[in-house]
Amino acid sequence: MPKQKKYTFIDLFAGAGGLSLGLEQAGFEPCFVNEIVPQYCATYKSNRKLPNERYYVGDINDLNEQFNQYAHLFQGALLVCGGPPCQGFSMANRQRIIDDPRNQLYKAYLTFLSKVRPQFFIMENVKGMATKIDEIKQDFREYLGNEYKFDYELVRAQDYGVPQNRERLIFIGNRVGIEPNLIFEEIHKQKRPAFILRDALLGLPKLGAKIQKGKADIESEVSGFTECDFTYPQTEFYHFINGDKVITTLYNHKNRFNNQRDIEIFRRLPQGANSLHESIADIMPYKRRNNVFKDKYFKLAEDQICKTITAHMKFDCNMYIHPWEARGLSPREAARIQTFPDDYIFTGAQNQWYAQIGNAVPVKLAKVIGEAIMKFIK
């Protein structure tokens, strides 16, 4: 029986693995992973069986300098993906973004592409990057020549079922002669109505306020558990993120500390209301700067999609107040909104769970992109 062909990819700036997981669900396999934060990479590793030699935990600029040492691990990779942080692309910035010192990681991504020259690449970034699109196209030509055809689109995660308002700029390129617009057309074919926040939260155990400050190791039925036995309700959303897997363990569903004032604010606010709402006027701690802090507190609405999940949740969840309970979203709830399956485990400290989840590409959006590319590979 012939050996099944592997469709392999390299993930740069991999984080906890949201983009990777979506590509894996589309039929790809990771063959090499780069991530600079050890704890994020630990989460990536804990959810996969990829050998340790296939990881480079460190700066991508150092990886480029040591390229020949790792080149044998890149062989056969059909796809390179990643989202380099790119801070210097504002309209007011007159410096070419490739030369802006804040954009060294973007430049390093292009350097890596120019060395590996995969058949396909994906680059995802914030939508503001589109303001510099002419420069970006010029940079791609300088590093990759005319061998690649590439294009970009602003893609909305909510158009693909994700219960979240999240827009990302997606670049897709290839050197096998495919017009990029055909790949984007395949992506568009997979549009479907978004789930709403209620779908992602329904059925998870209730959590109460954690009132012991500085006690990160507390586990209880009141404030939640890092891991506990649990029977999930078999909803449409459950099957959307988990398929037909039967999962009997609840991971990372744990509340964080909040002071009594914040708990009272959480309780009083109606769904969809922010810091300016009259219900909290007498206890709002930032009244003198309401113009700045209007979203310091925000209670999510169960019948809408969620606001964008971000890494800011590692500091507090005051902008992500649970619609029914006087608390912020738990990491598990945030992960569900990002369409991670329920058996995907986040490691490290609780604030790092939030950071990893907030930085991720929604898994189901990544799957849609991967499936579109896969059609042209096969």
Side-chain angles (χ1 to χ4, degrees), residues 116-128:
V116 175
R117 307 195 86 79
Q119 289 185 24
F120 292 81
F121 71 80
I122 302 168
M123 186 177 79
E124 65 89 25
N125 222 290
V126 296
K127 65 180 182 179

Side-chain angles (χ1 to χ4, degrees), residues 223-253:
S223 59
F225 295 93
T226 300
E227 178 179 340
C228 66
D229 294 337
F230 181 66
T231 302
Y232 284 89
Q234 298 292 299
T235 63
E236 183 183 357
F237 184 78
Y238 174 92
H239 292 293
F240 178 61
I241 62 173
N242 298 314
D244 293 327
K245 286 187 293 187
V246 177
I247 299 170
T248 57
T249 307
L250 177 64
Y251 300 100
N252 307 109
H253 187 52

Side-chain angles (χ1 to χ4, degrees), residues 9 11-22 24 30 33-48 55 83 124 252 311 331-332 335 338 340-341 343-349 351-363:
F9 71 95
D11 194 351
L12 307 174
F13 316 100
L19 179 54
S20 273
L21 186 58
E24 289 168 273
V33 177
N34 169 228
E35 168 53 45
I36 194 171
V37 182
Q39 191 55 62
Y40 297 2
C41 199
T43 289
Y44 192 109
K45 285 183 178 183
S46 71
N47 289 280
R48 293 167 179 83
Y55 293 90
E124 65 89 25
N252 307 109
R332 183 81 267 148
Q338 284 277 57
F340 278 97
D343 59 354
Y344 203 88
I345 304 168
F346 298 91
T347 67
N351 63 341
Q352 290 185 318
W353 301 348
Y354 283 114
Q356 294 169 56
I357 295 163
N359 284 329
V361 176
V363 174

Side-chain angles (χ1 to χ4, degrees), residues 290-361:
N290 273 350
N291 60 323
V292 177
F293 289 107
K294 70 174 185 177
D295 289 327
K296 171 66 178 173
Y297 297 95
F298 182 80
K299 194 163 196 173
L300 301 167
E302 63 180 291
D303 59 351
Q304 299 177 19
I305 60 173
C306 186
K307 67 191 300 184
T308 306
I309 297 294
T310 72
H312 179 85
M313 296 179 80
K314 70 182 180 182
F315 300 114
D316 65 60
C317 291
N318 296 348
M319 294 186 292
Y320 301 90
I321 303 170
H322 194 285
W324 317 314
E325 301 172 22
R327 62 176 178 85
L329 294 179
S330 76
R332 183 81 267 148
E333 289 162 339
R336 284 191 132 213
I337 294 164
Q338 284 277 57
T339 61
F340 278 97
D342 288 319
D343 59 354
Y344 203 88
I345 304 168
F346 298 91
T347 67
Q350 187 174 357
N351 63 341
Q352 290 185 318
W353 301 348
Y354 283 114
Q356 294 169 56
I357 295 163
N359 284 329
V361 176

